Amino acid sequence: MSPDVALYLEVAAVVAMVVLIVALAAAASGACRNDCRAAAAADADMERALGDATLVPYAQTAVEARARQRCCVFCQSEYAKAPDELVRVVPACGHFFHAACDADRWIRTRRTCPLCRGALWPRTGTIGAGAAVVVAVP
């Protein structure tokens, strides 16, 4: 093989490697963008789940939810019958926890319900049929 042909083959191999590296870098940056959007959506769900609207008095939680969940999964204490005891309610599933317990820290770090590990907020904007929704008691 002549030196000119060998040089052309080496240049072609280098160009092919550069194209491959650029293609991999472009694919990786696109995947990161999608992951960042998903992470941003999860952050928004987390902030909504930790908002004032999900911090309610125990007396305002649904009666059926109170029957199923008699104690806080963090401190294992029963919920007080006092009307002013605050609980944090996870909107997607309706589970609730003492406001003074570590539910907020769990939600911030894991972005799931501490009890069922489900999503924090319904994706469709509606609450599922099995969820125990928060209702205001007059």
Side-chain angles (χ1 to χ4, degrees):
M1 178 175 345
S2 72
D4 290 335
V5 173
L7 179 63
Y8 289 130
L9 287 175
E10 287 178 23
V11 169
V14 169
V15 169
M17 291 300 288
V18 168
V19 168
L20 179 63
I21 290 171
V22 169
L24 288 174
S29 68
C32 179
R33 248 184 271 129
N34 291 338
D35 289 344
C36 292
R37 286 185 196 131
D43 286 345
D45 284 351
M46 177 196 61
E47 290 305 321
R48 287 192 317 168
L50 293 174
D52 290 338
T54 61
L55 195 61
V56 299
Y58 175 73
Q60 290 183 2
T61 58
V63 175
E64 63 189 38
R66 283 185 269 171
R68 284 184 291 141
Q69 190 178 338
R70 296 195 180 274
C71 65
C72 176
V73 297
F74 288 100
C75 66
Q76 296 299 309
S77 296
E78 287 189 7
Y79 296 104
K81 304 300 181 205
D84 58 347
E85 180 181 33
L86 292 177
V87 294
R88 172 76 65 197
V89 179
V90 178
C93 59
H95 292 132
F96 50 90
F97 315 93
H98 286 125
C101 291
D102 283 340
D104 289 0
R105 185 171 64 154
W106 174 284
I107 290 170
R108 273 190 175 70
T109 57
R110 293 179 177 85
R111 292 173 170 74
T112 61
C113 171
L115 187 58
C116 69
R117 308 298 198 275
L120 296 175
W121 208 264
R123 288 285 167 210
T124 61
T126 59
I127 297 193
V133 297
V134 177
V135 295
V137 178

